[in-house]
Amino acid sequence: MVCTLGHGRGGHFYDVRVTAEALMQVASCAICEIGFARSPVLQQSTAPVHFVDLSQGFFRAWRELREVVRRSRPTVLHAFDLRAYAFARVASVVGRIPIVLTKCGGPNPSGWFPAASSLIVYSAENRDYFQSKWQASRHRVYLIPNRASRVRTSREREEELRRAALLSPARATFVRISRFVEPYRESIVQSIALVDRLNRDGLPAQLVVIGVPEDGAVFRSVAEHQGDHVRLITDERFTVNASELLGVADVVVGTGRGVMEAASLGIPVLVPGGGRRYPIPLTPENFESLFRDNFSPRCSDPSLGDEAAYRIVRGWLTDRRRMEEASRFVRSVYERHFDIAAALPAIMQVYEAAQVESLRRPGDLLRSVASAARTVLGGRRARVAA
């Protein structure tokens, strides 16, 4: 279950889609999308998708969801965001259906977070936080970072991108797939700084940033750097299923899912780090520390300064052997840590141990539902005003 209140192209929509499609190999599975509009990511899923229209109001949407649940008769409800989780909690109580919540990355909560008897997280950072806050006897926290399938690139779409972005075959190509929002602005700026430095040092390089301009101010600030070797691509032809375009990349700058998708293709990876000039090369030496924070912009590698990081990237571009070593390494970590197929037994075990929503926490349940209802009402008013 997932809630679509915006453009529906964020990373967690791919998490839902990939998980559902993988589960179809071992069980009957369907996606329930609750939102004001359909996610273009989920529309292309091979899993069945039930759409519950929120524009009709919270309570009518709930009645429609209840009918979807009645017809499909699920044995477990799995929510991938807090608004969908609110709906799922009520459905769990009414239908006596076990429930699971996945926190799709991000920092540890700074305030209230709804109680969950079964919580899947993608990072050791999140796992350690919830295990320190919750009683193990009442809350089970599972670290299952695997959420990527091997990317199928599209040669036709890659050629279309090369033409649209005016990419030169004589330049090394760096790709960053990212929404233009404040949490990711620094990662784009670091990527631009790296490509600028490479060109100044006589190594022809170009950067393509593909993403939805969700925050206009962030996009405008980044667009000031657009030039001969920096291209910003926001057309929906490219932002939906953008991973299919990774074949144009020699190096990928990625966070979370982006790292995993690049690794599935054996493309060397850079990870943005807080307070740095350049992104951090993913290496055998720093993998565990960067993996712990889900390859997020919160990552750090104090042992590898900016100049050392730059030398590694330069070495990839000037020494084919080093590039091949980096490629073999990321492909190996994909197979060990990222492949969704390897996680299916663990996910099924979570489902088997899942519990029905408890009424011993009525205040927490009501707060969850009220928070979701306010969000839905606010989104509905915004649409009416527009």
Side-chain angles (χ1 to χ4, degrees):
M1 297 175 68
V2 66
C3 221
T4 307
L5 301 181
H7 50 71
R9 285 173 276 175
H12 70 291
F13 290 96
Y14 292 95
D15 295 338
V16 172
R17 175 177 159 182
V18 169
T19 302
E21 291 175 354
L23 284 168
M24 288 176 65
Q25 301 172 30
V26 296
S28 175
C29 183
I31 298 169
C32 181
E33 179 185 11
I34 309 166
F36 293 107
R38 293 176 180 268
S39 162
V41 174
L42 299 182
Q43 281 184 298
Q44 297 184 25
S45 176
T46 59
V49 180
H50 304 289
F51 179 71
V52 175
D53 188 358
L54 278 178
S55 63
Q56 61 188 318
F58 184 84
F59 294 103
R60 287 185 179 179
W62 158 246
R63 287 196 295 269
E64 185 177 340
L65 173 62
R66 185 174 60 184
E67 181 60 20
V68 168
V69 172
R70 186 191 67 80
R71 291 197 312 268
S72 56
R73 301 173 64 186
T75 56
V76 66
L77 301 172
H78 187 171
F80 282 76
D81 65 70
L82 297 188
R83 288 172 290 271
Y85 182 54
F87 282 97
R89 294 179 80 177
V90 177
S92 174
V93 170
V94 173
R96 307 302 296 166
I97 306 167
I99 185 172
V100 174
L101 170 64
T102 285
K103 183 182 185 299
C104 297
N108 293 328
S110 57
W112 172 78
F113 191 90
S117 57
S118 297
L119 176 67
I120 295 175
V121 297
Y122 290 158
S123 71
E125 173 192 22
N126 286 168
R127 178 201 59 195
D128 293 350
Y129 171 84
F130 285 107
Q131 286 183 340
S132 71
K133 297 290 184 181
W134 288 352
Q135 294 180 11
S137 60
R138 299 178 63 182
H139 307 274
R140 297 178 180 179
V141 182
Y142 305 89
L143 174 60
I144 307 179
N146 316 56
R147 61 188 186 278
S149 56
R150 195 174 300 278
V151 171
R152 296 180 180 179
T153 57
S154 168
R155 185 168 298 179
E156 180 180 350
R157 293 188 68 203
E158 289 170 3
E159 289 305 317
E160 188 177 7
L161 175 63
R162 287 188 175 95
R163 291 192 297 270
L166 303 176
L167 297 182
S168 168
R171 293 175 179 264
T173 302
F174 291 71
V175 172
R176 172 77 174 111
I177 298 174
S178 169
R179 290 174 292 141
F180 290 91
V181 291
E182 188 58 40
Y184 297 137
R185 185 180 67 82
E186 187 177 6
S187 74
I188 300 172
V189 171
Q190 290 176 12
S191 304
I192 293 171
L194 174 62
V195 170
D196 282 346
R197 171 77 179 275
L198 289 167
N199 280 282
R200 287 198 307 271
D201 289 352
L203 285 172
Q206 56 199 346
L207 171 68
V208 185
V209 184
I210 307 169
V212 179
E214 196 169 303
D215 185 323
V218 171
F219 177 76
R220 288 189 294 273
S221 70
V222 172
E224 295 176 0
H225 301 278
Q226 189 164 212
D228 290 341
H229 52 263
V230 178
R231 297 284 188 270
L232 309 182
I233 304 296
T234 60
D235 192 310
E236 189 170 326
R237 291 178 299 158
F238 303 113
T239 58
V240 176
N241 296 329
S243 62
E244 292 181 356
L245 303 167
L246 288 176
V248 306
D250 296 294
V251 178
V252 166
V253 183
T255 58
R257 160 173 292 279
V259 171
M260 300 179 184
E261 291 175 334
S264 78
L265 298 172
I267 302 173
V269 173
L270 304 174
V271 178
R276 298 181 66 96
R277 189 188 315 166
Y278 309 129
I280 307 166
L282 186 62
T283 68
E285 291 73 26
N286 63 22
F287 173 77
E288 290 297 335
S289 64
L290 301 184
F291 187 27
R292 173 181 171 74
D293 293 334
N294 192 32
F295 310 108
S296 74
R298 302 182 301 283
C299 289
S300 65
D301 181 1
S303 67
L304 189 68
D306 282 317
E307 288 304 311
Y310 177 75
R311 287 194 295 271
I312 290 175
V313 177
R314 184 184 175 96
W316 289 349
L317 300 183
T318 58
D319 186 333
R320 184 174 179 177
R321 180 183 56 82
R322 293 185 186 179
M323 182 70 95
E324 290 174 348
E325 288 175 353
S327 175
R328 285 194 297 271
F329 167 67
V330 294
R331 196 184 298 276
S332 71
V333 297
Y334 167 79
E335 293 169 353
R336 292 201 308 272
H337 299 286
F338 305 155
D339 188 355
I340 184 69
L344 290 179
I347 294 173
M348 294 303 293
Q349 288 177 8
V350 174
Y351 290 167
E352 290 167 5
Q355 301 174 10
V356 173
E357 174 66 30
S358 173
L359 289 177
R360 291 179 298 178
R361 302 183 290 256
D364 188 84
L365 174 58
L366 288 174
R367 185 173 182 177
S368 181
V369 172
S371 177
R374 284 194 300 270
T375 303
V376 170
L377 182 59
R380 194 180 183 199
R381 284 175 175 168
R383 286 178 172 266
V384 170

